[in-house]
Each structure stands twice: as structure tokens, then as C-alpha cells.
Amino acid sequence: MKTTFYTLLTFFIVFTVNAQENNKQKQDSDAIKKMCGCYEVTFNFTETFQYSKDSLYKPSKTKIATALEWAELVVDKNDKISIQHLLQVGKPTEPHIVKHWRQDWIYENTDFYMFNGDNVWNFEQKTKDDVKGQWTQKVYQVDDSPRYEGSATWVHVDGRSFWENTTDAPLPRREYTKRNDYNVTERGNRHEITNEGWVHDQDNTKVIREKGKEDIILAKEKGYNTYLKVEDSRCKAASDWWKKNNEKWALVRQKWDEVYGRNTTLSLETKVDNKALYKHLFSEDYSQENDISKVIESFVKK
């Protein structure tokens, strides 16, 4: 009789714990999917502290920009959510659509590609215990090549939902087109869901990294990007563009998944035939699976 009691007690405890974990995972995924839809976005970046010993050092100019952005739900599974961002710019009557970044969220992911400077991502594995209950955010470039990723727990408290992580990343476009005095951005990322939409709050460090030497901190930067939810109809042009082009980009993601599945350090060429990868893939010349596979493979250093 005693054995039966303890068996039932154990079953009840396990059942309760599993139910709590499932409820928490659903709460997390619901928060992540609230980043989908049409948004008025304001991008704010300013350099805050400088540590350069160069008396002629010039900080980056403060940048404030606005845009209309459509966030399309591409994958919706229990353990994976993928959101494709599209910029809708220009005249409302004649909008121009720009394929923007993509974010994948993977539950209890153990495989990571960690940026290490100079277009190199080191493959790393964590244990299941390391990532228990956590979501990895994997962020990709406009051509679906890697950018940065990190793992952390979504927090839901006092009516707020947020996720935060610090990880290394390449320089953003607003920086690498103008400067070459550092090669790693240590990104402090915080995503918080609000009543009006969501906020991407950043505390970034500009790092000089050289092999065999200690990192040098060049400067600090604050980023504060607000996403104000508006009617989805305002992003109809972007939504329609994605319906027309999503099959091509599914082939691009499929090829990259094969590359990432090799689970080894990834080093990429900056240009092939004097063009960056996104310029190849944005061309209408690349729409077939074989051509897409070949051009992506040409950027992967052997």
C-alpha cells in the first residue's frame, strides 16, 4: 500500500512539473509571437563613452531613423518560431520593399555559432542543463547568413515580459560602412513586450579583437529601438511581397540549414566576384535551388 502511495505521489509531482513547464513554454512563445505584425519603428543609436587613447578619435554620429516594418511569422512550432522582417519604405502610394533581418527562436537549443570577429563564427555546444527552460534567439543577415545568437530565459513578472542576453556580433551596417577601427560588437540585447508593441533595448560595446591578444574596448553605445503596433493593412505591400517571394527565400534558408548542420567553425568570404552575398541573392538571376546552393557555397571557406 505504501509503495502504491509513493508511486502515485511521484507521478503527481512529475505531472505537475511538466504541466508548469508546458504552460511557461506557451507563455514564452506567445510573447515572442507578439513581435509579429506591422510596426512603426524608430531606430535610436548614440555613442556614450569613449576609451580610445587617440586624441583625434571621433565618435559615431547619433543616428535616429524611422521606418514601417512588417514582421512575418514564417515558422510556428512548439520549440521553434521564425520571424522574417521586411522594411516598407518610400511613398505610401509606391512603396519599396527591402528584405530585412530574420530572427529564429529555438527552445532549449544546444548548438551555437558564436561570432569571433573577421567573418568567423565558432561552433559551440552547450549541455541540456545549460539551456533548460531557455530560448535561443538566432539573428540572421538580410541574405540569411549568420549574424549573432544567444540563449536566455524569458521572464514574465509584474505584467511584463522580457528576454535579455549579451553576445558578440559583427558590426551593424550603419557602422561597418563608415568605420574599420574595431571588429566586434558585444551586444547587450533586451526584448520587452509592451502594451503598444515591443522595445529592442541595447547596451553595446565596441571591441578590437586580435588573435592572441586581450580584447580592447574602444567605446560604448546605447541603442533604443521602439516598435509601435499599427494596423496590418498599412504593411499590405510588404505582406504581398513576401507571398510572392517566400518560396525563393525558403530555398535560401534550406541551403543555410544544410551549412549550419555541419556543426563546425564557419568562415565566410566577404565578397565573391566583387559582390557581397546579398547582392547575388537579391538578383533575379538566383531563383533556382541549384543556383542558390552554388552561390552560397562559394562564400563558405573550406
Side-chain angles (χ1 to χ4, degrees):
M1 192 72 176
K2 184 180 289 187
T3 301
T4 302
F5 171 78
Y6 282 115
T7 300
L8 290 172
L9 180 61
T10 300
F11 172 80
F12 176 76
I13 292 172
V14 171
F15 176 82
T16 302
V17 170
N18 287 340
Q20 289 174 341
E21 289 179 350
N22 289 337
N23 288 339
K24 171 62 167 57
Q25 185 178 345
K26 184 180 185 306
Q27 191 177 15
D28 295 345
S29 64
D30 287 346
I32 292 168
K33 286 185 285 189
K34 285 182 180 179
M35 288 187 277
C36 295
C38 187
Y39 294 91
E40 288 180 349
V41 188
T42 302
F43 303 99
N44 302 273
F45 292 95
T46 189
E47 200 165 290
T48 53
F49 303 100
Q50 295 86 40
Y51 302 97
S52 175
K53 296 179 181 179
D54 184 353
S55 61
L56 300 178
Y57 175 82
K58 292 184 179 181
S60 298
K61 292 181 180 179
T62 294
K63 179 172 183 178
I64 300 176
T66 59
L68 197 62
E69 185 154 305
W70 174 249
E72 174 85 21
L73 184 62
V74 178
V75 176
D76 183 11
K77 298 179 180 178
N78 288 336
D79 58 354
K80 182 178 180 180
I81 298 165
S82 181
I83 304 172
Q84 176 63 58
H85 293 254
L86 303 167
L87 288 175
Q88 185 172 306
V89 296
K91 297 179 180 179
T93 54
E94 299 178 25
H96 177 64
I97 310 304
V98 179
K99 183 178 178 291
H100 206 197
W101 61 298
R102 185 179 106 239
Q103 53 174 329
D104 285 359
W105 292 85
I106 304 176
Y107 188 66
E108 295 186 343
N109 164 67
T110 57
D111 296 339
F112 294 82
Y113 281 92
M114 306 303 289
F115 184 69
N116 194 38
D118 304 322
N119 246 24
V120 175
W121 287 259
N122 293 334
F123 178 73
E124 298 178 8
Q125 284 187 309
K126 293 187 178 183
T127 67
K128 290 183 177 180
D129 287 340
D130 289 336
V131 297
K132 185 171 178 58
Q134 295 186 354
W135 289 81
T136 296
Q137 184 202 37
K138 293 176 177 274
V139 173
Y140 300 91
Q141 312 266 22
V142 297
D143 51 25
D144 291 314
S145 60
R147 186 153 179 74
Y148 63 86
E149 51 194 72
S151 183
T153 304
W154 272 89
V155 177
H156 311 283
V157 63
D158 295 337
R160 301 166 65 190
S161 294
F162 62 89
W163 176 98
E164 53 189 14
N165 172 265
T166 299
T167 192
D168 290 342
L171 274 61
R173 181 178 298 277
R174 61 188 155 77
E175 288 281 272
Y176 78 70
T177 55
K178 298 177 180 178
R179 336 180 27 162
N180 59 7
D181 54 346
Y182 73 103
N183 61 342
V184 174
T185 302
E186 184 185 75
R187 298 179 61 111
N189 294 303
R190 179 186 175 95
H191 293 257
E192 181 164 351
I193 309 304
T194 68
N195 292 332
E196 296 78 29
W198 62 284
V199 171
H200 186 191
D201 191 359
Q202 302 171 50
D203 289 293
N204 301 328
T205 303
K206 300 178 180 183
V207 177
I208 302 169
R209 179 169 296 168
E210 293 184 57
K211 189 174 182 180
K213 297 182 180 180
E214 288 190 11
D215 286 354
I216 297 174
I217 297 177
L218 183 66
K220 298 278 188 176
E221 175 190 70
K222 183 65 183 178
Y224 196 77
N225 303 336
T226 57
Y227 290 73
L228 177 65
K229 189 78 170 67
V230 296
E231 290 295 326
D232 286 355
S233 59
R234 289 186 56 188
C235 290
K236 184 178 184 303
S239 176
D240 289 346
W241 185 94
W242 184 252
K243 290 174 184 175
K244 181 180 178 181
N245 292 276
N246 77 85
E247 290 185 7
K248 168 182 175 174
W249 291 101
L251 294 174
V252 173
R253 295 195 304 275
Q254 179 180 298
K255 175 58 184 178
W256 274 119
D257 285 345
E258 186 265 310
V259 173
Y260 299 140
R262 296 169 190 173
N263 293 351
T264 187
T265 292
L266 180 61
S267 179
L268 298 178
E269 300 284 358
T270 303
K271 293 182 178 180
V272 170
D273 295 332
N274 205 34
K275 287 198 296 188
L277 178 58
Y278 77 90
K279 289 189 175 181
H280 288 279
L281 290 177
F282 280 14
S283 166
E284 294 182 0
D285 294 338
Y286 294 91
S287 59
Q288 301 301 311
E289 182 176 0
N290 189 51
D291 295 330
I292 289 170
S293 179
K294 282 183 178 179
V295 75
I296 291 176
E297 202 65 58
S298 71
F299 277 80
V300 179
K301 293 182 181 180
K302 299 299 185 287

